[in-house]
Amino acid sequence: MPHEVRSCMEEAESFKEQGNAYYIKKDYSEAFEYYTKAIDMCPKNASYYGNRAATLMMLSRHRDALEDAQQAVRLDDTFMKGHLREGKCHLSLGNAMAARRCFRKVLELEPDNSQAQQEVKNADSVLEYEKMAEIGFEKRDFRMVVFCMDRALESASACHRFKVLKAECLAMLGRYPEAQSVASDILRMDSTNGDALYVRGLCLYYEDCIDKAVQFFVQALRMAPDHEKARLACRNAKALKAKKEDGNKAFKEGNFDEAYQLYSEALTIDPNNIKTNAKLFCNRGTVGSKLKKLDQAIEDCTKAIKLDETYIKAYLRRAQCYMDKEEYEEAVRDYEKVYQTEKTKEHKHLLKNAQLELKKSKRKDYYKVLGVDKNATEDEIKKAYRKRALMHHPDRHSSASAEVQKEEEKKFKEVGEAFTVLSDPKKKSRYDSGQDLEDDAGNMGDFDANNIFKAFFGGGGGQGYTFEASGPGNFFFQFG
């Protein structure tokens, strides 16, 4: 062997030894430098490539490590550590089939190699998790896919494909910060990764940041023009934004029927976009309330809340619809939920108002008893009393059955109660504001409807009928 060649080999060995020393000290960057010097001095030595491959693996540069490991086994097909490292790189990068072939090659060279035996099991396990994840994705069982990818990534730690699939499923599960974090990690290492750009866009899209989402989808398509998912998501995002804006415009212009139709069309674009669809349902509920379709509006708000339980606006809209329908218990329930979430003065006021209306609804409605509107004038209240008192006076029903007489007597008394309260400005004001009345229905033990009747009609005729007392508290009617 010529002296110069021997000298180069000795120098290369020296570099390798120095590389080994740095490797043992875990200074992998320095080790890499010395192994590279060894390779430069002696580029046909398989073990130098094998050592550099091991160093690159420790530096998480698995693709570069794979090239070195493949070069090592090209130079020496019996180099067992080279095959083992090539397999490890393939597995780390998520190519379990190729990894399996490499580990099988190791076992051909050394059947009892326990590391290769274990790595074959690891590769088989990754293949199995891949298969399960594929089935889970088809069934839209995204939790299952995340579970499988977490298990697979224990062996395939550098596999961007697995990470992106996990991130996509996290986005589908509404776990946007986690999905964003995984996608961002990939983009830090590979800013041109179309899948990771797509997932970033998907998270923004599902969080109703549609303009920003479109930018990421466009970027993903620039990097990967055949990215079907990005193309579809981009189309959906643009269609959803346009349709929603058209609906908002129609609503602002007072074209409620058109707005209702546009929101309905927008809701068919992408059932997976929960946050945007929640807003669309709430918007449609608002339109429904304007069209006086309160039941429909409540149903839409309920759908919005089902999609997004934290959606305050939908609770407020539904509560107002319940108020309009005089279903105060439901309104109170919704306003309580809102106030628990956001303790603002406005929300407190809305809750107190609903509670007051609920309390009022549980008393006798004196306006209904007299058959007048809540804004009725003094004259209207008097006329209504005159009509109802005469209609239900017991003497008018003296020939009816005992049951009818009892019912009419009860109504006559209620009419008197109603008139007593609504004809007295102070009592009326307290009644309207929901305050308890000293003489309210339950506490009117000394109340006598006949005395009210006598006082109102003045004890004389001239009303088109005459009456005379026929005993204590009884009246005889003769209609003209």
Side-chain angles (χ1 to χ4, degrees), residues 141-151 163-184 199-200 202-204 206-207 272 274-275:
D141 185 351
F142 301 121
R143 279 187 184 82
M144 167 63 83
V145 181
V146 171
F147 170 82
C148 290
M149 289 301 95
D150 278 338
R151 297 291 81 75
K163 287 179 182 177
V164 166
L165 182 56
K166 176 186 171 179
E168 185 179 352
C169 291
L170 287 169
M172 300 301 264
L173 290 167
R175 290 160 64 179
Y176 306 120
E178 291 171 78
Q180 289 271 30
S181 174
V182 175
S184 298
V199 169
R200 284 292 307 277
L202 199 64
C203 291
L204 290 162
Y206 284 152
E207 288 185 288
N272 294 322
I274 287 168
K275 214 152 198 174

Side-chain angles (χ1 to χ4, degrees), residues 411-428:
K411 286 179 181 175
F412 178 68
K413 188 178 178 184
E414 282 180 349
V415 168
E417 281 177 24
F419 181 69
T420 302
V421 172
L422 299 184
S423 63
D424 182 323
K426 280 186 183 175
K427 285 183 181 176
K428 183 178 186 295

Side-chain angles (χ1 to χ4, degrees), residues 95-337:
N95 191 346
M97 289 294 280
R100 216 168 169 281
R101 284 195 295 272
C102 296
F103 299 136
R104 286 284 176 206
K105 181 72 178 173
V106 174
L107 291 170
E108 281 174 27
L109 295 168
E110 193 180 296
D112 295 332
N113 188 303
S114 60
Q115 192 183 351
Q117 287 169 349
Q118 182 56 48
E119 293 296 357
V120 167
K121 287 178 186 173
N122 291 345
D124 287 342
S125 177
V126 168
L127 286 168
E128 190 57 36
Y129 283 124
E130 264 195 277
K131 205 181 293 177
M132 284 167 65
E134 198 179 316
I135 293 165
F137 196 88
E138 278 176 21
K139 290 182 176 176
R140 300 184 66 77
D141 185 351
F142 301 121
R143 279 187 184 82
M144 167 63 83
V145 181
V146 171
F147 170 82
C148 290
M149 289 301 95
D150 278 338
R151 297 291 81 75
L153 283 162
E154 287 170 8
S155 297
S157 58
C159 181
H160 288 177
R161 188 164 47 88
F162 292 171
K163 287 179 182 177
V164 166
L165 182 56
K166 176 186 171 179
E168 185 179 352
C169 291
L170 287 169
M172 300 301 264
L173 290 167
R175 290 160 64 179
Y176 306 120
E178 291 171 78
Q180 289 271 30
S181 174
V182 175
S184 298
D185 285 347
I186 295 168
L187 289 168
R188 265 195 292 276
M189 292 181 276
D190 177 10
S191 62
T192 65
N193 189 300
D195 289 327
L197 289 164
Y198 160 70
V199 169
R200 284 292 307 277
L202 199 64
C203 291
L204 290 162
Y205 172 60
Y206 284 152
E207 288 185 288
D208 200 41
C209 302
I210 290 180
D211 287 333
K212 280 186 184 175
V214 168
Q215 288 173 15
F216 274 99
F217 295 144
V218 168
Q219 212 177 330
L221 287 165
R222 207 174 288 138
M223 299 303 169
D226 295 331
H227 204 298
E228 272 310 308
K229 285 182 178 178
R231 182 175 284 106
L232 177 64
C234 193
R235 193 164 64 231
N236 282 347
K238 286 177 179 177
L240 207 49
K241 181 174 184 266
K243 196 68 79 174
K244 186 182 173 190
E245 284 176 354
D246 287 347
N248 293 350
K249 184 170 177 280
F251 179 79
K252 281 175 189 166
E253 290 171 358
N255 301 327
F256 300 132
D257 286 317
E258 186 188 344
Y260 191 93
Q261 181 60 33
L262 287 163
Y263 290 140
S264 299
E265 288 170 13
L267 280 162
T268 65
I269 291 170
D270 185 2
N272 294 322
N273 194 324
I274 287 168
K275 214 152 198 174
T276 305
N277 288 342
K279 288 183 180 179
L280 288 167
F281 274 123
C282 188
N283 286 4
R284 197 171 74 172
T286 305
V287 176
S289 69
K290 293 283 185 190
L291 292 168
K292 304 296 179 196
K293 295 176 179 177
L294 295 177
D295 288 331
Q296 219 164 299
I298 288 167
E299 193 182 323
D300 274 344
C301 292
T302 302
K303 284 176 181 173
I305 289 163
K306 202 172 177 184
L307 292 175
D308 182 0
E309 286 182 2
T310 65
Y311 195 8
I312 295 295
K313 198 175 171 184
Y315 283 105
L316 288 169
R317 171 62 52 205
R318 187 170 72 175
Q320 185 55 57
C321 290
Y322 281 135
M323 291 292 284
D324 293 341
K325 285 192 75 186
E326 298 183 6
E327 293 178 6
Y328 301 119
E329 283 185 17
E330 288 82 354
V332 166
R333 188 188 62 220
D334 277 354
Y335 283 133
E336 279 175 343
K337 174 81 177 174

Side-chain angles (χ1 to χ4, degrees), residues 367 370 372-386 418-419 421-426 428 456:
Y367 291 102
L370 290 184
V372 293
D373 187 75
K374 287 179 181 176
N375 301 315
T377 63
E378 203 178 327
D379 271 353
E380 286 169 338
I381 288 166
K382 282 181 179 176
K383 279 180 188 172
Y385 172 68
R386 179 185 291 119
F419 181 69
V421 172
L422 299 184
S423 63
D424 182 323
K426 280 186 183 175
K428 183 178 186 295
F456 182 85

